[in-house]
DNA sequence: CTGTATCCTCCAGGATACTG
DNA sequence: CAGTATCCTGGAGGATACAG
């Protein structure tokens, strides 16, 4: 039976997955890799995700040191997120995943059609 | 609100994740990349997973064309799984994930300790 | 040995309402 | 604008029993 280990800390793949596995994390990293973004901008960029969830994912990415949060104590308060060096080291992997998935896309579409379990 | 799209078929990353995202899939691919394996061998290799779950993941990997199943109609029946060319094309990515995670491991351990939410 | 059918638990992620 | 607190639900994946 599976033991609820805090995380398979001995498995590199699992560690990486823990960091990028969140539903919106790769999108966020991809976006921040282009430049700094404010929370409200991100919320607008991902209208399919509720703001709460985006904030959640931002918090985790920040905790893992993939992104950085800068708070400008203005009125109203302004917040900006940017990618860190560690976060940047993730981009090559994300691009590989994207490329592979894109190449596989035609086959995936056929598979989904043929085994249609809609 | 998030629409239950059968899969973000337009996002390469999500397609790749769909294929390798299962809890035991990378382990299985990793193992089959070394050589052919019978189900019972895999069950023994991953004692923390119930056989049912392994079979599940095998089925999905097969459906996606990452592995191949060969049935020898003997008594008792013998079955062997092997990795396909498409499956093999996944290995570089898995190795990158593993490498990145392994490099990040020390930091991850520190993060887990400091923010201990056990 | 290989595989399916049942049942159940847990939690990521979604909706909503609210505070500063 | 930024952020938190509540509540809720679907589905991945776990245990177990059983069939070919």
């Amino acid at each position: 039976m599976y033991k609820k280990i805090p995380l398979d800390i001995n498995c590199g793949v699992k560690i990486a997955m823990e960091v990028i596995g969140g539903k919106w994390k790769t999108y966020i990293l991809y976006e921040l890799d282009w430049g700094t973004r404010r929370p409200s901008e991100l919320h607008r960029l991902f209208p399919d995700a509720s703001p709460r969830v985006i904030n959640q994912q931002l918090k985790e990415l920040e905790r893992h040191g993939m992104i950085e949060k800068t708070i400008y104590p203005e009125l109203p308060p302004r917040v900006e997120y940017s990618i860190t060096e560690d976060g940047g080291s993730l981009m090559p992997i994300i691009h590989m995943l994207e490329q592979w998935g894109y190449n596989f896309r035609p086959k995936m579409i056929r598979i989904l059609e043929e085994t249609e379990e809609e």
Side-chain angles (χ1 to χ4, degrees), chain A:
Chain A
M1 71 217 63
Y2 177 64
K3 300 288 181 34
K4 180 48 177 165
I5 299 164
L7 164 66
D8 281 353
I9 198 61
N10 293 316
C11 173
V13 176
K14 286 293 180 292
I15 292 176
M17 292 297 222
E18 173 83 6
V19 174
I20 64 170
K23 187 165 179 181
W24 304 92
K25 288 183 183 177
T26 54
Y27 295 136
I28 292 172
L29 287 171
Y30 207 99
E31 194 55 38
L32 294 186
D33 192 41
W34 276 96
T36 288
R37 289 287 188 190
R38 303 181 59 181
S40 53
E41 292 184 282
L42 294 171
H43 296 155
R44 245 175 289 116
L45 281 166
F46 309 119
D48 284 345
S50 80
R52 178 193 155 275
V53 174
I54 295 295
N55 288 340
Q56 228 174 225
Q57 310 260 311
L58 287 169
K59 225 187 219 170
E60 287 178 26
L61 285 169
E62 191 195 359
R63 174 159 100 100
H64 290 148
M66 299 300 116
I67 66 176
E68 237 168 12
K69 181 188 198 168
T70 312
I71 305 178
Y72 300 90
E74 306 174 353
L75 243 316
R78 195 171 94 233
V79 173
E80 287 189 345
Y81 286 101
S82 55
I83 201 165
T84 63
E85 200 180 320
D86 277 342
S89 74
L90 230 27
M91 294 312 296
I93 297 184
I94 293 178
H95 288 135
M96 277 193 76
L97 286 167
E98 196 192 7
Q99 182 108 25
W100 188 94
Y102 184 71
N103 286 340
F104 189 66
R105 207 178 90 105
K107 288 189 189 174
M108 180 60 97
I109 291 175
R110 269 191 44 256
I111 291 166
L112 291 179
E113 286 172 356
E114 292 177 3
T115 59
E116 57 199 311
E117 55 197 271
E118 164 57 26

